[in-house]
Amino acid sequence: DRFTFKGTCPYLMAKDVRRGVFVAYARTEPCGTDLSGVCLRSVTIYVDRIYGFSLERGWLINDNGKSRNVANDDTVILGGGAVTITRTGKTLVGEIANKGIMFYYDGINYFKI
C-alpha cells in the first residue's frame, strides 16, 4: 500500500541522546503536481536545549524570528558563535561550535546531521 500525507507535519528527525547537544525536527508539506508527494519544508535545530533556529526552503535561515537568505559563499554566525553556517553551491553546511557536529541542507529536500 502507498501512504500519502495531506497536511503539514512535524517529525523528530535526529536527537543526540548521549550528550543532549542537539535535537532536529523536520516539517513536511504536500508537494508535486497533484500534491500527493511529501517535501521537506524546514528543519528546526535546537542546540544545548536552549538555542533554536530553522533552515527553510530556498537557503533561508530563521533565527529568532528574523529570516535571511544565505547567498553562495556567504557565512552566517548564529547564537553568539554557537552555530556557523556557510552556503557552498546549493548546500548549507553548518557546524555546532565546540561539539564536532556538522549538518548539511540542500535548501530543498535533503538534510543530514
Side-chain angles (χ1 to χ4, degrees):
D1 285 331
R2 183 174 167 213
F3 298 95
T4 59
F5 300 87
K6 296 295 182 188
T8 301
C9 302
Y11 293 96
L12 174 63
M13 188 174 233
K15 181 178 182 177
D16 178 0
V17 294
R18 284 191 210 161
R19 299 179 291 167
V21 172
F22 72 88
V23 176
Y25 294 95
R27 180 167 291 279
T28 62
E29 66 183 5
C31 65
T33 55
D34 62 356
L35 298 179
S36 65
V38 177
C39 291
L40 184 60
R41 174 71 188 133
S42 65
V43 176
T44 301
I45 301 172
Y46 293 95
V47 179
D48 290 331
R49 297 183 182 105
I50 348 173
Y51 174 71
F53 62 95
S54 295
L55 307 173
E56 301 175 356
R57 273 187 170 254
W59 306 286
L60 295 173
I61 296 174
N62 188 326
D63 178 34
N64 204 17
K66 297 175 187 166
S67 187
R68 65 177 111 175
N69 189 318
V70 182
N72 195 25
D73 295 324
D74 194 12
T75 297
V76 176
I77 298 171
L78 305 175
V83 178
T84 302
I85 301 172
T86 302
R87 180 171 164 197
T88 305
K90 295 183 178 184
T91 303
L92 293 177
V93 179
E95 180 177 12
I96 299 174
N98 304 317
K99 308 291 184 181
I101 297 172
M102 303 286 295
F103 57 86
Y104 307 85
Y105 178 52
D106 72 353
I108 303 171
N109 271 330
Y110 176 82
F111 176 78
K112 176 182 175 180
I113 192 164

